Amino acid sequence: MAFLKKTIEKLSAGLSRTRQMFIGSLKSLLSGRKLDEKLLDDLEEMLIQADMGVASAMKIRGDLQQAFTDKRIEAGDQAIDFLKEEIKRYWPESDRSVHFASAGPTVILVAGINGCGKTTSVAKLAWRFKTEGKKVCLAAADTFRAAAVQQLTIWAERIGVDIISGSGSDPGAVVFDACDAAVARKADILLVDTAGRLHTQDNLMRELTKIRDVVSRKIPGAPHEVLLVLDATTGQNAINQARVFSEAIDVTGIFLAKLDGTAKGGIVVAIRNEVDLPVKFIGIGETYEDVEPFDPEQFVEALFA
Amino acid sequence: MFESLTEKFSDVFRKMSGRGRITEQNVRDSMRDVRTALLEADVNFKVVTQFCEDVTQKAVGAEVIKSLHPGQLMVKIVQDELTALMGPVDSRIYYVSPPPTIILMAGLQGAGKTTTCGKLAKLLVKQGKHPVVVACDLQRPAAVEQLAIVAEQVGIPSFRVEGSGNPVSVARKSIAWAGKNERDVVIIDTAGRLHIDEEMMRQVQDISSSVNPHQIYLVVDAMTGQDAVNSAREFNERLELDGVILTKFDSDARGGAALSVKAVTGKPIKFIGVGEKLSDLEEFHPDRMAGRILGMGDIVSLVEKAQGEFDAEQAAAMQEKMAKGKFTLTDFLGQMKQMQKLGSMKQILKMIPGMGGQLDAMQMDGDEMRHMEAIILSMTPSEREDPGVIEASRRRRIAKGAGQESQDVSGLIKSFTQAAGMMKQMAGMGTRDRMKMAQNMGQMGMAGGFPGKVKQRSKRLTAKQRANRKKKKRRR
């Protein structure tokens, strides 16, 4: 469980500044105070500042108030523990695991908006699966952005995994070839990197659906996972992203990237409430080793510890 | 569920304007909704609190309470405050003599620095400058190649030092290179970095102090949440920014980051990125942005967009037709086709005042346009010129031809007639009356009427007309 420790360290290091601000004020905020309107207002502010959104913050606030009314908690000090437990429950064990194919390659489709960190996240996943002893293939289906294929190729070389890229500009064709190649080379995992697209661009979203359809036609049951990469600094717009991407390609989980900054990524709470998507991985740095499975315990501890 | 900020504001003020006289409590209540709307738009919590406090003070102090039109006055106050908070703006780039003018771009990972370098370069080329982009992002794999490709698309050189791992020296060398190669602007692309990454922040400071840029821009993703203030503050402290460029404004992000960043750095927002094309960089207009946020639409941007797409002569001819009431279904169809070039119906409607809130009610499916087109195409030329001749039997024939129901045909004709009539009326109206009229039209839910209306807008706000109108107002 060495990586667990590492994650906590990394998360804590990344969050240290905010946490000092957040927790320092939380502690002084809560100790010895009665749970009154003012305290609830202050807590709500903190949740909102963590990007959890007004609706989710209000919901949690309501739960906290209810717990107080029911005498499950009595003073402000207990509110933190209550909040921790409350937020942890958003991500049960069952929906955090990766769904692998029973036979043949497991296809993981990775999508997201421009600049959220897709290509880097694909590299991280590739490294992770490779260290688990799996044979990994990458499909460079971002044929749009300048030098995106080169970027992924460099990652593939560094990590030491296969990469399939086409010469044309049709991502569908790249994916088509990649599926064949993955089967022929007996790969365990095929990671498909797609071009960043804003969820408001209908034509590009349709293109994404098409890419997904190509995958499922080539390999029955695929894609086995569809990951939406979210930048942890994103605000409420992430909910729209999650919703629209889910409609287009049935997202199965979130890769929460850039969690090593001061942003708290609280938006995943709102996304759980609004779109019901679990978080599966987190990205916590710039090298390919900076990836961990999402652990609500750590996520919440890093927020409140 | 997820109303845009615009819709939210329209809602708040619709409720208010229906109330007649309002009390101080009403003002405070309505500000609560404004607060939620701003928070949902990702404006930083502290900025929101301050903003709401300022507005409440102003509103209570002003004659809002006594005013006969409290809603309108309130809108004005909120809009003015929003504009003030986001402005003043200064999109000019100050060139130095002797050249080159050095511009440094910085920001978090994935904000869109490299793309923005290309967009900025393109803008400068348009202004007659000869920029060079410098690849100082040696961190991200293939970032140098990306910049080179972008530069090629713009048609300018990119400066790179093969195999170099030291961005400071690359930056320094680029300045000398620019001098020798007669490049008058140097745009330096840097690696994306976390504002808490001490080493990387020091690196960008080193780059900055080694070349002494004349302008330093922070590139910020418009979708950034509450954390926007933290990163912007840190970058500003380290680099003394000259301005901010907001990217990804073509999404449905409500762009609260614009307010937050402006509030903590005090630095003007210079440009906004509004698309994937390299020409998609626009000047930032706080008044338009505030108007957009307030549900007053973003007419000016729409007009500019339309002017870019529409054939000016054709448009002038069309305007004349409208004014004379000689607008026919053929023109209507032609317009619809041009409209489609502007982008999706939804995007366009969002820019029209008062329409934000009606979007859902109108239930625009993508087929709507095609159906209307089919109906018009199923008419004879004379029917298109004068839809008045269409009686029951012709209607049935047209419906059959278009694969629609009879009532769809009459619906289209009805809204067309109404729209054409209104256009004629509007041709002689002042801005305020038009605005009201547009809102009424929106509330009527006349799906068939809008293409005409949008067209109408492209007529009414040429820069000259706007200037004239302002003058007139002042005289009054």
Side-chain angles (χ1 to χ4, degrees):
Chain A
M1 297 299 269
F3 70 87
L4 270 181
K5 212 174 144 226
K6 191 176 138 212
T7 316
I8 295 186
E9 276 166 16
K10 284 212 163 171
L11 270 179
S12 303
L15 285 164
S16 64
R17 267 195 173 197
T18 350
R19 209 184 49 236
Q20 274 161 16
M21 180 206 92
F22 194 76
I23 299 314
S25 47
L26 242 193
K27 279 241 170 76
S28 60
L29 188 75
L30 296 176
S31 60
R33 275 176 67 178
K34 268 193 3 197
L35 203 67
D36 53 14
E37 279 296 311
K38 179 77 181 63
L39 184 72
L40 286 170
D41 281 349
D42 291 346
L43 279 170
E44 186 190 316
E45 173 181 344
M46 294 190 152
L47 297 175
I48 287 173
Q49 288 209 326
D51 281 322
M52 281 182 200
V54 180
S56 299
M58 294 289 272
K59 182 173 177 282
I60 292 172
R61 177 195 174 127
D63 292 345
L64 189 63
Q65 194 153 29
Q66 190 58 45
F68 182 68
T69 316
D70 299 348
K71 300 245 182 315
R72 275 179 286 147
I73 53 173
E74 283 170 351
D77 308 58
Q78 292 164 291
I80 297 187
D81 288 330
F82 177 83
L83 284 177
K84 276 189 195 168
E85 286 310 310
E86 177 83 4
I87 297 171
K88 274 178 207 165
R89 275 194 287 123
Y90 276 66
W91 301 279
E93 182 77 47
S94 56
D95 64 13
R96 280 183 275 126
S97 54
V98 177
H99 175 230
F100 291 102
S102 45
T106 298
V107 184
I108 302 178
L109 184 61
V110 181
I113 65 156
N114 316 58
C116 63
K118 277 173 307 303
T119 305
T120 310
S121 299
V122 165
K124 288 176 177 178
L125 289 172
W127 173 82
R128 191 172 169 80
F129 289 127
K130 189 176 181 243
T131 51
E132 285 173 8
K134 296 193 168 73
K135 184 173 165 55
V136 181
C137 248
L138 304 182
D142 180 355
T143 51
F144 180 79
R145 203 196 73 206
V149 175
Q150 284 99 309
Q151 188 184 347
L152 192 65
T153 308
I154 294 171
W155 281 124
E157 280 164 13
R158 286 188 195 165
I159 300 163
V161 294
D162 286 355
I163 179 165
I164 294 105
S165 56
S167 50
S169 60
D170 178 12
V174 175
V175 172
F176 189 95
D177 291 347
C179 287
D180 279 343
V183 173
R185 297 179 197 181
K186 297 198 165 50
D188 298 306
I189 308 269
L190 174 64
L191 283 162
V192 181
D193 181 28
T194 60
R197 63 202 76 219
L198 291 179
H199 52 291
T200 45
Q201 292 162 327
D202 295 344
N203 54 334
L204 294 183
M205 292 309 289
R206 278 198 297 277
E207 178 192 90
L208 195 56
T209 311
K210 190 188 139 198
I211 293 174
R212 196 266 319 263
D213 292 347
V214 168
V215 171
S216 22
R217 226 172 302 134
K218 292 295 287 180
I219 299 175
H224 305 86
E225 287 286 348
V226 180
L227 296 181
L228 174 68
V229 181
L230 265 190
D231 183 334
T233 54
T234 313
Q236 304 308 301
N237 189 253
I239 300 169
N240 286 5
Q241 292 173 25
R243 185 171 291 129
V244 178
F245 272 96
S246 289
E247 278 164 14
I249 48 169
D250 302 301
V251 175
T252 57
I254 289 169
F255 188 117
L256 189 60
K258 309 187 200 175
L259 203 55
D260 46 335
T262 49
K264 289 145 238 166
I267 189 64
V268 295
V269 175
I271 289 177
R272 188 85 229 202
N273 276 335
E274 301 279 343
V275 195
D276 197 25
L277 281 183
V279 186
K280 301 219 169 180
F281 294 95
I282 56 169
I284 43 175
E286 284 204 306
T287 73
Y288 51 73
E289 296 167 351
D290 296 325
V291 55
E292 297 298 345
F294 177 72
D295 183 336
E297 294 271 338
Q298 290 168 33
F299 180 72
V300 173
E301 289 303 324
L303 264 180
F304 291 96
Chain B
M1 267 207 299
F2 264 90
E3 300 150 331
S4 74
L5 181 54
T6 303
E7 288 163 35
K8 198 94 202 204
F9 266 125
S10 309
D11 222 40
V12 171
F13 293 121
R14 231 194 334 267
K15 259 191 262 162
M16 278 182 65
S17 52
R19 252 182 221 153
R21 279 166 191 271
I22 54 169
T23 64
E24 185 175 333
Q25 192 55 45
N26 287 150
V27 173
R28 292 198 180 275
D29 286 351
S30 75
M31 283 315 288
R32 202 162 298 154
D33 289 339
V34 171
R35 173 183 174 270
T36 308
L38 291 172
L39 285 175
E40 279 177 357
D42 290 321
V43 183
N44 180 266
F45 192 94
K46 295 205 156 63
V47 178
V48 172
T49 310
Q50 188 59 46
F51 176 78
C52 289
E53 195 42 49
D54 291 350
V55 172
T56 310
Q57 291 298 334
K58 280 230 167 83
V60 173
E63 294 81 55
V64 170
I65 295 169
K66 290 178 212 149
S67 166
L68 280 177
H69 304 288
Q72 283 175 19
L73 194 54
M74 195 67 193
V75 171
K76 192 180 172 312
I77 294 173
V78 174
Q79 191 187 16
D80 288 352
E81 285 296 305
L82 271 179
T83 311
L85 190 58
M86 288 186 288
V89 79
D90 182 7
S91 295
R92 271 172 302 172
I93 296 168
Y94 296 93
Y95 301 110
V96 294
S97 172
T101 304
I102 304 165
I103 300 174
L104 180 73
M105 311 282 267
L108 297 173
Q109 291 97 336
K113 282 175 299 304
T114 307
T115 308
T116 307
C117 281
K119 288 181 176 180
L120 190 62
K122 177 133 190 167
L123 194 83
L124 297 180
V125 168
K126 253 196 210 163
Q127 295 180 356
K129 295 286 166 187
H130 304 90
V132 55
V133 287
V134 180
C136 283
D137 179 356
L138 309 174
Q139 218 76 20
R140 182 164 55 100
V144 177
E145 285 78 8
Q146 188 188 348
L147 191 67
I149 295 171
V150 167
E152 201 185 306
Q153 286 166 355
V154 180
I156 54 156
S158 69
F159 181 84
R160 58 200 277 185
V161 178
E162 251 7 281
S164 173
N166 182 355
V168 179
S169 94
V170 174
R172 203 178 289 135
K173 282 177 188 157
S174 74
I175 309 300
W177 186 91
K180 264 183 239 145
N181 291 272
E182 296 185 342
R183 291 281 134 186
D184 48 14
V185 185
V186 178
I187 303 173
I188 302 175
D189 184 27
T190 62
R193 64 201 74 224
L194 272 176
H195 52 289
I196 49 166
D197 187 332
E198 187 55 41
E199 197 183 318
M200 288 297 284
M201 289 306 280
R202 204 169 297 142
Q203 182 204 68
V204 75
Q205 279 178 292
D206 288 346
I207 297 175
S208 174
S209 56
S210 75
V211 298
N212 282 321
H214 304 98
Q215 302 266 294
I216 303 179
Y217 295 148
L218 178 68
V219 181
V220 179
D221 184 335
M223 301 183 193
T224 315
Q226 297 284 324
D227 196 50
V229 291
N230 296 333
S231 47
R233 187 181 292 125
E234 190 67 28
F235 272 100
N236 192 36
E237 275 169 19
R238 302 278 192 140
L239 289 175
E240 286 181 45
L241 305 172
D242 294 284
V244 176
I245 300 179
L246 283 164
T247 59
K248 306 182 199 170
F249 244 102
D250 47 330
S251 68
D252 55 355
R254 285 159 250 168
L259 266 82
S260 304
V261 170
K262 179 71 208 313
V264 296
T265 63
K267 300 295 158 64
I269 296 161
K270 290 255 173 190
F271 301 100
I272 55 174
V274 291
E276 299 223 350
K277 277 179 283 172
L278 287 170
S279 56
D280 292 332
L281 189 72
E282 291 180 356
E283 289 177 6
F284 178 72
H285 296 277
D287 47 342
R288 294 185 197 177
M289 179 81 182
R292 199 169 182 152
I293 288 171
L294 286 173
M296 302 179 76
D298 188 5
I299 297 283
V300 188
S301 295
L302 180 61
V303 172
E304 279 176 3
K305 204 172 177 194
Q307 277 168 345
E309 296 285 348
F310 287 168
D311 176 345
E313 250 173 66
Q314 211 181 333
M318 195 74 86
Q319 276 166 23
E320 200 166 316
K321 273 189 165 178
M322 273 192 231
K324 288 186 182 157
K326 280 186 187 161
F327 186 66
T328 68
L329 277 167
T330 317
D331 304 326
F332 185 80
L333 186 64
Q335 259 185 34
M336 240 159 56
K337 292 229 163 117
Q338 282 199 313
M339 293 276 310
Q340 279 164 336
K341 285 194 222 158
L342 282 182
S344 85
M345 211 61 223
K346 265 195 168 172
Q347 278 179 326
I348 295 170
L349 285 177
K350 267 187 195 154
M351 293 197 226
I352 303 176
M355 294 296 269
Q358 266 91 47
L359 269 185
D360 288 339
M362 289 180 61
Q363 287 183 336
M364 286 293 304
D365 52 359
D367 292 339
E368 188 96 5
M369 292 279 253
R370 283 195 298 136
H371 291 165
M372 289 199 292
E373 191 180 338
I375 291 175
I376 296 174
L377 287 176
S378 301
M379 296 176 182
T380 66
S382 63
E383 284 166 348
R384 287 180 217 170
E385 289 301 312
D386 179 16
V389 302
I390 299 171
E391 22 68 317
S393 133
R394 281 176 190 254
R395 199 152 50 226
R396 270 198 302 279
R397 191 203 80 237
I398 294 166
K400 222 179 221 173
Q404 300 291 310
E405 297 296 323
S406 239
Q407 57 262 36
D408 295 331
V409 179
S410 35
L412 173 76
I413 294 169
K414 199 174 155 200
S415 27
F416 166 74
T417 321
Q418 275 178 343
M422 280 187 200
M423 273 174 220
K424 202 176 162 189
Q425 266 182 287
M426 279 167 98
M429 278 184 185
T431 317
R432 185 162 301 221
D433 292 332
R434 279 185 193 176
M435 199 78 105
K436 225 181 209 169
M437 187 132 183
Q439 260 157 8
N440 290 342
M441 282 164 90
Q443 272 153 9
M444 282 155 75
M446 292 182 357
F450 55 79
K453 273 187 309 191
V454 173
K455 181 64 213 168
Q456 172 63 19
R457 260 140 254 283
S458 70
K459 181 213 165 193
R460 62 177 242 242
L461 280 174
T462 61
K464 216 175 163 189
Q465 279 175 319
R466 245 182 296 137
N468 278 341
R469 206 156 277 148
K470 261 190 196 158
K471 259 190 230 157
K472 264 190 214 159
K473 259 190 198 160
R474 252 179 255 138
R475 256 181 248 140
R476 255 183 246 154

